[in-house]
Amino acid sequence: AKLASLNVTKLDGTVVPASSLWENGGAVVYLIRRMGCKLCREESLALSELKDRLAPVPLIGIAGEHLGHEEFTEKYWKGGLFFDLGKKDWFPIMGSGRMMFSGLASYMFGGVVAKNVKRVDEKNIEGNFAGEGFNLGGVWVVNAIEKKVVFEHQEKSWGDNVCGDPAQFEKLLAEVDRIKSAMKSSAK
């Protein structure tokens, strides 16, 4: 119910009700922590590879700023891109919180963030440090037919990628398949 009351902004500044993004049955919604982050780009690439598999369920990205959107959409993202400028509405609802000192410590002392960075470096995914990157993101599957979020992956650390967790990834795909099945049934 909270998500349905939110809006998103298009690049041109047009404000759109979020519910219009999934009104035809559902959507996979990716809350992008920072478009220049190589860890976020890894997840963006993995989700983008699923676009055809997800269809007709749309793949929606929501970023907190415009910074870097050109390169991001050209090289890393194949879904729709909308904005929650200033990360005022969507990011607080996601509930993952912020990561700063613990993330830096995890990186510097070989923790999970260091392992995530190493994994992405091995894939030669480039990134930068431009923009706000302390608010964590995540992935939702919204089922408009059931009027609820049926899958949620909240980032616990930088690089906590839903596509890198086989159990979570299978749950995401199963929920999308349920939506697609319901969409086919309602079309008959």
Side-chain angles (χ1 to χ4, degrees):
K2 285 184 184 179
L3 293 182
S5 67
L6 294 178
N7 293 317
V8 291
T9 306
K10 293 182 178 183
L11 184 60
D12 68 6
T14 305
V15 177
V16 180
S19 59
S20 69
L21 303 177
W22 54 75
E23 67 188 357
N24 292 328
V28 175
V29 179
Y30 172 38
L31 206 56
I32 306 160
R33 187 172 59 82
R34 191 168 54 78
M35 289 185 280
C37 168
K38 61 181 159 184
L39 300 167
C40 301
R41 288 175 171 184
E42 176 197 36
E43 186 163 30
S44 301
L45 286 167
L47 289 169
S48 290
E49 287 177 12
L50 293 175
K51 187 175 179 192
D52 292 340
R53 162 81 167 73
L54 301 175
V57 175
L59 180 59
I60 305 295
I62 300 175
E65 57 197 353
H66 291 154
L67 187 63
H69 76 273
E70 300 94 344
E71 180 183 23
F72 185 73
T73 54
E74 182 182 314
K75 295 181 180 179
Y76 304 100
W77 185 245
K78 302 301 176 222
L81 183 62
F82 298 87
F83 301 91
D84 172 21
L85 297 176
K87 300 183 178 181
K88 294 181 210 152
D89 299 321
W90 286 80
F91 285 80
I93 285 179
M94 192 63 185
S96 295
R98 294 173 55 87
M99 176 174 248
M100 190 162 124
F101 297 115
S102 62
L104 293 171
S106 176
Y107 175 72
M108 291 173 22
F109 298 110
V112 68
V113 173
K115 290 178 177 117
N116 291 340
V117 169
K118 184 177 190 271
R119 178 188 72 234
V120 173
D121 285 346
E122 289 170 353
K123 295 178 181 179
N124 296 315
I125 297 172
E126 296 179 1
N128 61 58
F129 294 102
E132 193 288 316
F134 296 119
N135 286 295
L136 296 171
V139 177
W140 286 302
V141 175
V142 180
N143 185 321
I145 298 160
E146 296 178 9
K147 297 182 173 45
K148 67 182 183 178
V149 173
V150 293
F151 173 84
E152 182 175 13
H153 175 82
Q154 296 180 336
E155 289 182 339
K156 295 173 190 66
S157 64
W158 297 329
D160 179 17
N161 181 333
V162 68
C163 298
D165 179 333
Q168 286 280 58
F169 184 65
E170 287 303 317
K171 287 179 187 176
L172 180 150
L173 292 176
E175 290 300 339
V176 169
D177 287 343
R178 277 190 340 103
I179 292 169
K180 288 166 61 171
S181 203
M183 289 169 75
K184 283 181 187 174
S185 294
S186 67
K188 292 179 181 178

